[in-house]
Structures are given as structure tokens and as C-alpha cells.
Amino acid sequence: MSTSLTIRRPDDWHLHLRDGDMLRAVLPETTRHFARAIIMPNLVPPVVTAADAIRYRAMITDALPAGSSFQPLMTLYLTEQTNPEDVAMAHATGLIAAVKLYPAGATTNSASGVANFDKVRGVLDRMAEIGLPLCVHGEVTDADIDIFDREAVFIDRVLDPIRRATPGLRVVMEHITTSGAVEYVQSQATDLAATITTHHLVINRNHILVGGIHPHYYCLPVAKRESHRLALVKAATSGDNHFFLGTDSAPHVDAAKETGCGCAGCFTATNTMSILAEVFDRENALPNLEAFTSLSGPAFYGLPVNKSTLTLTKGTPVAYPAKITSKAGPVTVFDPGFDLHWHVGP
Ligand code: DOR
Ligand code: ZN
């Protein structure tokens, strides 16, 4: 039985940091363990232009804990007005690592997202030309599509047609939640990858709804039934480099979660590495943890793997805070529902 594991320092390929006081409160939770993260652009207002991304990057670097070498990998929020040349310039200067597609209305702060995909054709073609990845929130928003089916329908009606119409476009299907998405991604070449969150490896829809409503387990895409969670665990722990970690750690203050219309998002930055080690350990897949957290993401994005390492050691239950304090109020840390035994050291 392994009791210690040293891996290349991990990266988070999908992270919400927000801005202002919330940014300051949550950033150390990520920089403690992660070297880099793809930073989601769904601020209010969103990060739409290269100039917005420059400003947001400066806010993040200003808020970094002293001595941190954390690198934010910036993204632009795709709108129907996005200018292909602005995107290409932001890519050429190394400012952005990806563009984010939110179908309009799909999730938190997605109102400026794309409703008519024909309007972003020019941007997608340009991205395919220059090899800039598109990160996709893969859910349709049609009122007549059941929320548990929205990912599957998106693959058929939107994602697959976009990829066929845009040969060479590199796509990350983000925070996948279904066995159908796993199978679709596995069946494609390496121009398609998927991120998997920590929480979707742990919870199914019962965690949200059984015995009362549990708002801190509500996120989008919403967790599905247990057979889907098992498919995600199998994919994440398999070592297949189509799949890598994107926590989608998404802070909302408790008041915004524990209310009549609560926000979507699980905050997992604090305990993600201990949870993942526990999940991989249970699957006897610890040797594949490094691929998931530290190797497959850089390979997809064409970035070097991190030089520094992180050591996980198995021992007594790990203590972590139940909440992070921000000036806007407390943020509840994701509770996996089981003890964590893997301590994260330098
Ligand atoms: O649960 C989620 N929260 N899903 C998203 O897509 C957005 C995120 C957020 O920004 O809070
Ligand atoms: Zn997200």
C-alpha cells in the first residue's frame, strides 16, 4: 500500500477566481497547491477583450500571496461581437491560453454568451488556424430540454456540428458529467479533450436532493445519476490523456447558495488534491493521479509540465476549514462526505 506519492505540481484547467474581495479570499486556496490555472472570464461584466484580460490578469497578480509564482492562464469570454483579430492578437502576445464559450443563459453570468453560433463562425475559424483552444460549457439552454439531458443534447446538436464545421479546432469539453460525454471524447482524436471536476467524481444527484436540498452540492452542469459518476471516475483514473483536472471551483457566499434561488457552484480549491488522492487510492489508480492533475493538461495546451513537485502522504484525517472567510461573507468548502487521509506537502 502506497503511503507517499510525489507528483509534478498540478494545474487547474478550469477555475473561477472572481474579482475584488472574493478574489483575495480564494486565490491562496488555489496557489497553495497549483502552479497554473485556466481562469474563467465570467465576471460581471465579463472579460471580453484583450484589454479586459490584461486588466484582470493584473488584478490577479496583485492579489497573489507574497512569494507565489502562480501563473494565471487567461481566457476571453466569447460573445457574438467578439473580433477574430482581437483574439488572434491576444493569443500571439501570449496573453490568453483559450477562449470560453458559454451558450447564452447556461449558467452563472452567461447572459452575454452565444445564442446564434453562426455569429461566431469567423472567430472559431481563426482559432482553428492559430491553434487556440476553445473551452466549452457543454449544455443547451432550451427550456424544453430536461436539465439532466442538456449535456447529451449539446454534444449532438451543437458540439459535434461545430467541430465538423471547423476542422482543426482544438476543443476542451469542460466539466463533463455523463458517460455519453466520456464515450464521445474517447472516440475522438486528441484535438478534443475534457476536464473533469473534483466534485463530479464524488457526488451524484442524490447528494443534492435526498434528505433535503443540499445547496452546496448544486453546480452546473448538475451532477447526474451514479452510473455517470462511475464513468467519470473510470475516465479520470484511467491515465487517458483526453481527460484532465478542471476543478470548476466556483466561490459563492453562503447567502447566495442558501436561498430561494441559489447559485450554482461548488468550492473545491481548498481540499481538491486530498479528495483526488482519496478517489484515485480507492480505485488503486494512484500511479495515474499525476497524468490527471499534472501531465495531460499541459500536453493538450502545448505547455511544459511544471518543474516543481508536490508530495502527498497518507495518514490521519486531514483537517481543513469548513468555510473560507471573505469580506462579502463566508464561502463553504466542498464536503466530500468522507474523511480525507492524503496530506499535501511541498
Ligand atoms: O456551477 C457552476 N458555477 N457552473 C458554471 O458553469 C459556472 C460556475 C460559476 O461561475 O459559479
Ligand atoms: Zn466553470
Side-chain angles (χ1 to χ4, degrees):
M1 193 183 73
S2 305
T3 54
S4 172
L5 178 70
T6 297
I7 59 172
R8 296 284 189 149
R9 205 166 188 81
D11 303 305
D12 185 347
W13 300 96
H14 180 132
L15 177 67
H16 297 271
L17 287 176
R18 318 298 189 208
D19 53 9
D21 291 336
M22 186 60 90
L23 167 65
R24 269 167 223 288
V26 300
L27 186 56
E29 300 305 298
T30 286
T31 60
R32 195 172 296 132
H33 299 156
F34 293 89
R36 298 171 290 201
I38 287 271
I39 310 301
M40 286 297 120
N42 63 332
L43 302 183
V44 187
V47 180
V48 170
T49 63
D52 297 337
I54 290 170
R55 274 192 296 274
Y56 188 28
R57 186 175 59 180
M59 276 185 229
I60 296 168
T61 48
D62 283 355
L64 281 175
S68 172
S69 54
F70 176 79
Q71 203 189 343
L73 303 172
M74 307 310 293
T75 60
L76 294 183
Y77 185 121
L78 183 62
T79 74
E80 294 179 1
Q81 287 75 43
T82 297
N83 176 342
E85 291 319 310
D86 186 58
V87 169
M89 189 272 288
H91 173 66
T93 59
L95 172 66
I96 58 164
V99 169
K100 173 70 190 240
L101 164 63
Y102 286 105
T107 186
T108 311
N109 305 336
S110 61
S112 324
V114 178
N116 179 351
F117 289 89
D118 291 336
K119 296 206 171 145
V120 295
R121 175 114 312 283
V123 181
L124 299 182
D125 287 341
R126 194 86 176 89
M127 288 173 63
E129 249 170 64
I130 62 181
L132 177 61
L134 180 71
C135 293
V136 175
H137 182 110
E139 290 188 288
V140 293
T141 54
D142 313 47
D144 62 330
I145 306 290
D146 190 277
I147 192 160
F148 291 101
D149 297 333
R150 288 179 174 198
E151 182 174 287
V153 174
F154 183 87
I155 294 172
D156 288 347
R157 288 196 195 162
V158 182
L159 182 59
D160 198 58
I162 285 181
R163 293 186 57 244
R164 282 175 197 280
T166 325
L169 183 65
R170 300 177 63 67
V171 175
V172 184
M173 199 182 165
E174 300 196 280
H175 41 51
I176 58 169
T177 59
T178 58
S179 57
V182 167
E183 284 159 22
Y184 177 68
V185 173
Q186 272 167 343
S187 73
Q188 304 295 304
T190 50
D191 58 344
L192 180 65
T195 55
I196 302 179
T197 75
T198 308
H199 47 283
H200 288 118
L201 294 174
V202 172
I203 60 168
N204 62 37
R205 62 197 194 177
N206 281 11
H207 289 79
I208 310 169
L209 296 169
V210 172
I213 189 155
H214 299 270
H216 296 290
Y217 291 141
Y218 172 62
C219 65
L220 287 171
V222 70
K224 310 298 191 293
R225 65 170 65 240
E226 178 65 0
S227 56
H228 294 292
R229 186 189 72 83
L230 293 174
L232 297 174
V233 169
K234 203 166 163 207
T237 59
S238 68
D240 180 342
N241 65 6
H242 279 102
F243 304 102
F244 43 86
L245 175 65
T247 65
D248 199 12
S249 182
H252 293 277
V253 292
D254 284 353
K257 296 282 293 174
E258 300 167 3
T259 179
C261 182
C263 293
C266 296
F267 181 69
T268 56
T270 305
N271 51 8
T272 273
M273 288 309 296
S274 294
I275 296 174
L276 292 175
E278 203 78 31
V279 169
F280 278 64
D281 193 4
R282 288 175 177 190
E283 294 298 305
N284 289 317
L286 281 172
N288 288 340
L289 180 63
E290 185 180 41
F292 185 64
T293 62
S294 318
L295 305 180
S296 301
F300 180 85
Y301 279 93
L303 294 170
V305 299
N306 295 311
K307 288 204 172 64
S308 57
T309 59
L310 197 79
T311 297
L312 295 133
T313 311
K314 195 170 184 177
T316 52
V318 175
Y320 57 88
K323 293 176 194 293
I324 297 298
T325 312
S326 82
K327 280 193 184 153
V331 175
T332 293
V333 174
F334 178 75
D335 173 7
F338 46 77
D339 281 346
L340 304 176
H341 301 95
W342 287 91
H343 297 252
V344 187

